[in-house]
Amino acid sequence: MSDRHRLLVRGRTFAAVGVGGDISGVGAVRGTGAGPDGLFVRDARHLSRWQLTVDGVVPEVLTPVDTSPAATGAARCVLVPRGARQEPPAYTVFREQAVAEGAFLETLRVVSNRPVPTRVTLALTVDADFTDQFELRADHRTYAKSGAVRSRRPLDGGDGEGVTGVEFTYRRGEWCSRTTVTAEPPPDGVEETGAGARRLVWTLELDAHGAAQVALSAAAHPHGAPDVPVPEGPAEAVRQLDAIEQDFAAGVTLPAGWPDLADACTRGLADLAVLRVPAHGPDGEALSVPGAGVPWFLTLLGRDALLTSLFALPYLPGLAADTLPALAATQATEAVEGAVAQPGKIVHEVRHGELAHFGQVPFGRYYGSVDATPLFLVLLGAYTEQTGDTGPARRLAGAARAAVGWMLDHGGLTSRGYLVYRADEGGLANQNWKDSPGAICSADGTGATGPVMAAGAQGYAYDALRRTAWLARTVWDDKVYGDLLAQAAADLRDRFQRDFWMAEQGFPALALDGEGRQVDALASDAGHLLWSGLLDKEYGETVGRRLMEPDFFSGWGVRTVASGQPAYHPLSYHRGSVWPHDNALIALGMARYGLHDEARTVARGLAAAAATADGRLPEVLAGYDRAAHPVPVPYPHSCVLESRSAAAPLALLTAVGGA
């Protein structure tokens, strides 16, 4: 998102508004990092216009919408009529906005600045285009929608109250979504604009220095989703949000001696509280899991939810307790080619929008991830070990065994010796955490060809086999299965150090290509091998220290690709940028190998970066050196709120123990 938008987020709902609180209906702007504005629920835009005029003109912004991280769920701004120095504003508009689950709420308070009665005409132009988020991306792809019909109708309050608002409806076959806009007091009129939008108009009579107020509610009714109660106004929504955040973080103790890290943890906990989205378990039970990020990924992404839950596990085990059954419920049971699904595979992405529903994008349930499946097993084992609660491991034993089966069979561990993925033409070319095109490359920038065996995924597989072997022996009472998995893990470790280690560089390759050749870029994924314990002690210590050299460590964090290589670009998504969650894994890995000074250095860099943004870590930062740029340079297309980044400070706290 860019500076021209402000985000309000709660659960499956977010709103992006302009500095004056308006929504103009734009999409993403290519090359700027600017995302779409509007009210979004379950992958669709339920408000595409929300534009205020007073006495026929757009008012001037006196105080813009709050930009601080504390304004996650609510915002305020102050507006006045345009005028000259010699003509003080006749009135002031105080605009308060908030989101709740499935709703956008606003209170407009108009205050007269005159000593005589004043008449003010307030007008709000509203529309709902129900555009799928995939249509609003900067690539501007178009999708056929035969038979789609949009309609608008006034809402009658009954009992002689007249029109209280307007309802927008979108139908396409069995698909039906609605948005209702209501107001108190009801508008004096609802006008057609000639472009599909409707204009709600009020004539307000203000006493001398008097005030009048209009309360507005836009409630989204997405296809296939149950209706939820809407708070009475922004103030009530804020009270609910405060209660949610306080309840979520209750009992978490933060380090008093490291204020920057404590502040980052506090901000991260608040962001995680609002980023949770609804999901269902194997028996249909309601669950709440980490949504990946805003604006493009406010949904369940397997890898993101698993890493977020792992980072938060020592402090908030409830996240893992919900994430595990939610992913078991969406685990693939059969091969589906377009979705890259195979039996036992854990889902990569779940979407609820129109295009996914009609199969026009493959992401309704999309399995294009090589690492979500081993991470599912890692989290199941880690949760059981951390909490002592064997219930999920017993309940999900079948899902865990199916996940192991996928790794050994379809995943490639038995036939290729490693987890392997192939580019998906309709979806993701790269299916590890660095999933952008060209992210898996040699030092000269040449992309890997053929089936890819990414280094980090092998570490996850090793850890998954070890942890599942422990579950088999201690929880499932199946020693034979446990011994089989333990041996598979040991064999994988031996193979990896033989095939991936680059002796001249003293560093592991980023991947092996389809011919088994080393993809030799020096990349941060090596730190994930420390986290998973795949490297022996000597190699692990060598890698950990190498990651702190200036070409890797920017001062804010470890770069995804070391500078000085032709592949490096500081503003590339995965080839030179700094990712907080990547660094959290690296810090945890360093601590595992006894490199505590190095882990603290990484933690200090990220905590300092968070301190420049009121405690919040974005999805990704540019790779520029801290010595040259005393404030982190933002990556232009970064998610503002991202669950893995929100949980990263908790992982850093685990790595350094608050010291």
Side-chain angles (χ1 to χ4, degrees):
M1 303 297 289
S2 72
D3 287 343
R4 65 190 182 89
H5 287 149
R6 307 294 184 257
L7 281 176
L8 310 176
V9 185
R10 181 169 160 189
R12 62 179 181 169
T13 304
F14 79 91
V17 302
V19 294
D22 278 352
I23 293 169
S24 61
V26 300
V29 180
R30 186 187 296 273
T32 67
D37 67 352
L39 171 69
F40 294 86
V41 185
R42 284 171 64 96
D43 302 326
R45 182 157 64 180
H46 279 261
L47 276 181
S48 54
R49 287 188 71 184
W50 189 267
Q51 294 175 304
L52 178 69
T53 59
V54 187
D55 289 337
V57 298
V58 176
E60 183 176 353
V61 179
L62 189 62
T63 302
V65 169
D66 188 0
T67 60
S68 72
T72 302
R76 294 177 176 84
C77 63
V78 181
L79 312 173
V80 293
R82 298 180 184 275
R85 185 187 300 271
Q86 294 78 18
E87 300 177 17
Y91 54 82
T92 305
V93 179
F94 296 88
R95 198 170 195 180
E96 183 179 5
Q97 299 173 327
V99 292
E101 283 285 4
F104 180 76
L105 307 164
E106 175 164 291
T107 298
L108 295 167
R109 187 165 179 263
V110 185
V111 178
S112 172
N113 300 320
R114 289 177 169 174
V116 296
T118 302
R119 173 178 291 177
V120 176
T121 300
L122 206 67
L124 187 72
T125 302
V126 298
D127 199 5
D129 62 6
F130 302 99
T131 303
D132 192 290
Q133 273 194 273
F134 283 94
E135 298 176 87
L136 293 169
R137 296 182 184 237
D139 55 12
H140 300 302
R141 297 182 187 178
T142 57
Y143 299 87
K145 294 186 174 184
S146 60
V149 177
R150 290 179 57 200
S151 60
R152 306 103 180 144
R153 71 176 184 91
L155 292 174
D156 190 342
D159 298 326
E161 291 186 13
V163 175
T164 59
V166 61
E167 178 180 75
F168 301 90
T169 302
Y170 176 83
R171 296 182 184 276
R172 178 184 171 195
E174 74 274 16
W175 183 273
C176 181
S177 290
R178 297 180 295 117
T179 300
T180 57
V181 178
T182 55
E184 179 57 42
D188 298 317
V190 177
E191 303 172 350
E192 296 189 14
T193 64
R198 295 294 185 267
R199 184 179 296 111
L200 283 61
V201 182
W202 296 261
T203 300
L204 306 178
E205 302 288 348
L206 306 181
D207 294 334
H209 295 292
Q213 181 171 292
V214 175
L216 295 143
S217 173
H221 306 273
H223 178 81
D227 290 341
V228 294
V230 177
E232 291 186 1
E236 177 61 24
V238 170
R239 283 192 291 270
Q240 291 181 5
L241 183 60
D242 288 343
I244 289 169
E245 291 180 358
Q246 291 174 16
D247 180 67
F248 183 74
V252 179
T253 302
L254 300 177
W258 195 336
D260 283 354
L261 183 55
D263 288 348
C265 289
T266 299
R267 183 68 260 154
L269 288 167
D271 288 347
L272 286 174
V274 301
L275 281 171
R276 290 174 296 165
V277 298
H280 293 91
D283 298 321
E285 70 272 23
L287 303 168
S288 184
V289 301
V294 179
W296 299 114
F297 301 104
L298 195 54
T299 188
L300 173 61
L301 267 65
R303 178 193 303 122
D304 297 60
L306 288 160
L307 288 173
T308 299
S309 299
L310 279 161
F311 290 167
L313 181 58
Y315 314 95
L316 299 165
L319 280 181
D322 274 16
T323 295
L324 288 164
L327 291 174
T330 53
Q331 187 177 31
T333 57
E334 61 182 358
V336 181
E337 184 176 351
V340 203
Q342 295 155 339
K345 202 173 185 184
I346 295 298
V347 75
H348 170 64
E349 184 170 354
V350 177
R351 291 287 182 173
H352 303 282
E354 174 193 0
L355 297 180
H357 176 83
F358 287 104
Q360 293 176 279
V361 296
F363 303 110
R365 282 193 184 181
Y366 181 66
Y367 294 83
S369 165
V370 75
D371 49 14
T373 306
L375 287 171
F376 172 80
L377 296 167
V378 171
L379 180 60
L380 183 62
Y383 174 86
T384 307
E385 182 179 2
Q386 178 84 37
T387 66
D389 177 11
T390 61
R394 294 182 187 280
R395 182 190 182 198
L396 304 178
R401 288 175 182 265
V404 171
W406 177 83
M407 289 200 305
L408 294 173
D409 298 333
H410 297 284
L413 278 183
T414 299
S415 61
R416 298 295 297 260
Y418 300 107
L419 290 185
V420 60
Y421 66 83
R422 294 162 179 80
D424 174 27
E425 291 185 5
L428 296 172
N430 284 310
Q431 295 169 27
N432 64 322
W433 86 265
K434 289 179 175 174
D435 58 4
S436 60
I440 305 303
C441 64
S442 298
D444 64 4
T446 304
T449 59
V452 173
M453 291 154 276
Q458 315 315 320
Y460 306 159
Y462 170 75
D463 199 13
L465 290 168
R466 289 179 59 256
R467 290 184 183 275
T468 311
W470 176 78
L471 288 175
R473 293 163 173 162
T474 61
V475 179
W476 303 336
D477 195 24
D478 192 341
K479 184 178 183 301
V480 172
Y481 187 58
D483 290 345
L484 173 68
L485 299 186
Q487 186 60 53
D491 292 344
L492 173 58
R493 193 178 205 228
D494 290 343
R495 284 194 303 274
F496 184 90
Q497 296 192 153
R498 179 193 69 210
D499 296 340
F500 277 77
W501 189 256
M502 301 185 295
E504 289 188 10
Q505 292 90 336
F507 207 75
L510 174 57
L512 302 181
D513 68 10
E515 300 300 321
R517 295 171 300 210
Q518 293 177 343
V519 180
D520 65 353
L522 301 182
S524 63
D525 302 59
H528 297 217
L529 304 176
L530 305 184
W531 176 64
S532 61
L534 183 57
L535 299 177
D536 66 23
K537 183 174 177 59
E538 181 183 356
Y539 282 177
E541 291 176 350
T542 298
V543 166
R545 294 189 177 104
R546 179 67 182 86
L547 290 170
M548 299 312 299
E549 294 294 326
D551 58 345
F552 262 121
F553 189 67
S554 74
W556 305 114
V558 176
R559 298 180 177 96
T560 46
V561 166
S563 63
Q565 304 173 95
Y568 170 74
H569 191 305
L571 288 172
S572 170
Y573 198 47
H574 289 125
R575 283 168 50 166
S577 54
V578 173
W579 287 66
H581 96 272
D582 183 32
N583 277 261
L585 288 170
I586 292 169
L588 288 168
M590 288 173 168
R592 178 173 187 158
Y593 280 76
L595 302 173
H596 299 294
D597 289 343
E598 289 81 357
R600 281 191 287 270
T601 299
V602 173
R604 280 195 292 268
L606 284 180
T612 67
D614 294 321
R616 176 174 288 151
L617 288 169
E619 175 190 23
V620 55
L621 296 165
Y624 293 108
D625 197 86
R626 182 177 179 179
H629 302 276
V631 175
V633 177
Y635 176 79
H637 307 281
S638 175
C639 282
V640 179
L641 273 73
E642 206 238 19
S643 61
R644 291 176 301 179
S645 291
L650 298 175
L652 297 175
L653 179 59
T654 301
V656 302

